[in-house]
Amino acid sequence: MKATKLGSHIRNEFPLFANNKKIEDGQIKPFSYLDSAVSAQKHISVIKAMSHHLEYDYGSVHRGAYGVSVRSSQMYENTRTIVANFIGKSVKPEQIVYTRGTTESLNILANGIAEEYLQENSRIVIPVAEHHANLIPWQQVALRKNCELAYIPFEGKIGKELRLNLSEAKKLITKNTKVVSLAHVGNVIGQINPIEEVIALAKSVGALVVLDCAQSMTCIEEDVFALGADAIAFSPHKIYGPSGIGVLAMSKELIERLPPYTFGGGMISDVTLEGSSWTQGPAKFEAGTPPITEVAGLGAAIEWISQVGKIHIHDHAAALAAEFLSKVQEIPDIEVFAPGTGQETIVSFRHKKIHAHDLATILDAENIAMRAGHHCAWPFIRFLGVDALIRCSFAAYSDKDDIELALAAIKKASKIT
């Protein structure tokens, strides 16, 4: 298959870019979107799939015997197969649960695992760098169950030291460890965590492994279930699809053993005035009317990514990130927090004289979007010794023009301090 040209060659396939150009002093300022780590822009095929579903096929799933409900239900279930294949060959459609996002998925896992697997003094192990969505649920579970929550540190705070300390992980993952949960790819600095090694450590003591794959599903092709993961979570809005929907994939054991997290219609086997029993499979976790149209968008997003190729997208974005890193760290007063392995698609940095939020506002005036703040990872930000960072993230539609525009804007901001 011939590689699709990315960057500016496909930007017209993402309508938002054409609709957000600025005209200033007669000059067009293109929209430079460098915040895909928070949420990617939507491909036209996703927009069309969702619009078509709403116009022609919308009906509540598993509720009616009439045409639109049947077609919606078929699309809804067929997309489980698309999602399963996207995750890996070892994954089956009956392991796929639709949720409202990665955050809900991780809460389902934390609460269910707490109920079925954790006892007093059980150990939960997570890295210090986790997103709040993969930290707070475990923190709350540890408090409720009187469990021990242990944090894997990083080797250091600069350059290639910004990686998990596997020596410390070996010490922390002990025989009383019941679950190890970590991001496949970090959301603050974009490090690719050594999940194969961590999974092996966890399995050596019989612990469950949960992976937050929110940042990795467009760039990593590993079948993580074949490596030994027990559950993963990701959000379609980060893979060029819609928001308001998440994916939770679990081992057959977890699907069967974990209790439901939300109760209501669609997830029951029987209800009497005295009690209720639950259905089996993914439906047990899908109470109420699910995000039906968003499932249509998810299927379209995966089909587009599969056509272009995960590795192709990753290599494109990583090359741009590496180029930006090499140039931005040459600007006086810029301090970079990046592993710099050439595989990251994120570069985080700060200006020593301009607060991150102020710099983000200055960049916005130049029609450049970057996120500033603690990136939903307060403990890691404090570990790095800063109060906020600017995060620049690259995607399939990013190009070298974005780099040059961003660098020029940062240099311009430096001159006014």
Side-chain angles (χ1 to χ4, degrees):
M1 182 177 69
K2 187 177 180 180
T4 302
K5 290 185 177 181
L6 300 179
S8 59
H9 299 284
I10 64 163
R11 203 166 289 175
N12 64 343
E13 298 175 24
F14 295 82
L16 183 131
F17 288 100
N19 294 326
N20 280 273
K21 294 177 181 178
K22 283 185 179 179
I23 299 178
E24 192 172 291
D25 298 328
Q27 299 293 314
I28 294 177
K29 287 186 175 181
F31 182 47
S32 184
Y33 186 73
L34 293 169
D35 196 20
S36 295
V38 77
S39 196
Q41 296 302 331
K42 314 311 167 193
H43 190 262
I44 188 64
S45 64
V46 173
I47 298 170
K48 287 183 176 180
M50 295 176 71
S51 178
H52 183 277
H53 179 256
L54 289 170
E55 290 182 23
Y56 295 96
D57 295 327
Y58 181 79
S60 192
V61 297
H62 309 147
R63 299 293 196 274
Y66 46 85
V68 291
S69 179
V70 171
R71 292 198 298 274
S72 276
S73 299
Q74 289 173 339
M75 176 278 296
Y76 187 84
E77 294 303 330
N78 289 342
T79 304
R80 286 194 210 271
T81 301
I82 295 172
V83 175
N85 292 337
F86 184 63
I87 294 171
K89 292 181 179 179
S90 66
V91 183
K92 304 300 181 185
E94 56 267 25
Q95 295 174 250
I96 304 301
V97 175
Y98 298 125
T99 68
R100 270 72 179 177
T102 300
T103 298
E104 184 179 67
S105 297
L106 292 169
N107 274 272
I108 291 170
L109 288 167
N111 283 275
I113 289 171
E115 187 168 329
E116 290 293 319
Y117 291 87
L118 301 184
Q119 296 86 37
E120 186 175 356
N121 297 321
S122 293
R123 175 174 281 190
I124 303 163
V125 177
I126 65 175
V128 70
E130 290 306 294
H131 188 285
H132 294 162
N134 196 39
L135 189 157
I136 297 173
W138 300 112
Q139 190 179 70
Q140 294 303 304
V141 159
L143 291 169
R144 188 170 78 244
K145 299 285 289 189
N146 196 24
C147 293
E148 181 184 5
L149 184 56
Y151 295 95
I152 305 173
F154 270 48
E155 291 186 5
K157 302 180 181 182
I158 59 172
K160 289 183 170 57
E161 294 178 358
L162 284 165
R163 60 188 176 194
L164 280 187
N165 190 321
L166 284 175
S167 296
E168 290 300 314
K170 291 177 183 178
K171 297 176 184 177
L172 293 171
I173 300 174
T174 55
K175 62 182 180 180
N176 67 324
T177 300
K178 299 301 181 184
V179 60
V180 178
S181 187
L182 73 160
H184 195 171
V185 172
N187 76 298
V188 179
I189 59 172
Q191 85 284 355
I192 300 175
N193 286 324
I195 60 163
E196 192 166 353
E197 292 88 340
V198 174
I199 290 173
L201 288 171
K203 292 305 167 184
S204 71
V205 298
L208 296 170
V209 177
V210 172
L211 294 179
D212 174 355
C213 292
Q215 297 292 341
S216 64
M217 291 308 294
T218 60
C219 58
I220 303 296
E221 286 195 324
E222 293 170 295
D223 183 342
V224 294
F225 280 90
L227 294 177
D230 296 284
I232 75 164
F234 70 92
S235 292
H237 73 90
K238 294 183 188 289
I239 63 167
Y240 311 98
S243 57
I245 178 175
V247 171
L248 169 58
M250 291 184 275
S251 67
K252 293 179 181 179
E253 177 187 331
L254 289 183
I255 281 274
E256 293 173 1
R257 187 168 172 181
L258 294 196
Y261 182 68
T262 306
F263 302 91
M267 51 74 65
I268 48 88
S269 175
D270 188 29
V271 177
T272 68
L273 295 180
E274 290 72 37
S276 303
S277 57
W278 325 128
T279 189
Q280 298 300 307
K284 179 171 63 170
F285 304 95
E286 296 178 359
T289 301
I292 305 165
T293 304
E294 288 77 6
V295 170
L298 166 59
I302 289 175
E303 289 176 352
W304 179 75
I305 291 171
S306 299
Q307 289 171 5
V308 176
K310 284 186 181 182
I311 295 301
H312 187 38
I313 292 173
H314 172 257
D315 289 349
H316 172 79
L320 291 172
E323 183 175 340
F324 178 75
L325 171 61
S326 69
K327 292 180 178 179
V328 76
Q329 62 190 356
E330 295 175 354
I331 301 175
D333 293 320
I334 292 294
E335 184 179 14
V336 173
F337 294 85
T341 67
Q343 293 301 303
E344 299 81 23
T345 61
I346 290 172
V347 178
S348 288
F349 62 96
R350 75 181 187 101
H351 196 291
K352 295 178 182 178
K353 296 180 180 178
I354 307 173
H355 193 275
H357 292 127
D358 294 328
L359 183 54
T361 301
I362 294 169
L363 292 172
D364 178 58
E366 300 297 323
N367 214 18
I368 298 166
M370 289 190 202
R371 185 179 172 186
H374 54 74
H375 308 287
C376 296
W378 264 123
F380 189 49
I381 290 294
R382 292 191 178 105
F383 167 81
L384 295 175
V386 298
D387 64 348
L389 290 173
I390 291 271
R391 185 181 65 188
C392 179
S393 51
F394 295 88
Y397 39 66
S398 305
D399 211 337
K400 290 189 176 184
D401 288 346
D402 293 313
I403 295 175
E404 297 308 317
L405 289 168
L407 292 170
I410 294 168
K411 292 174 181 177
K412 182 179 177 180
S414 295
K415 291 178 181 178
I416 63 176
T417 59

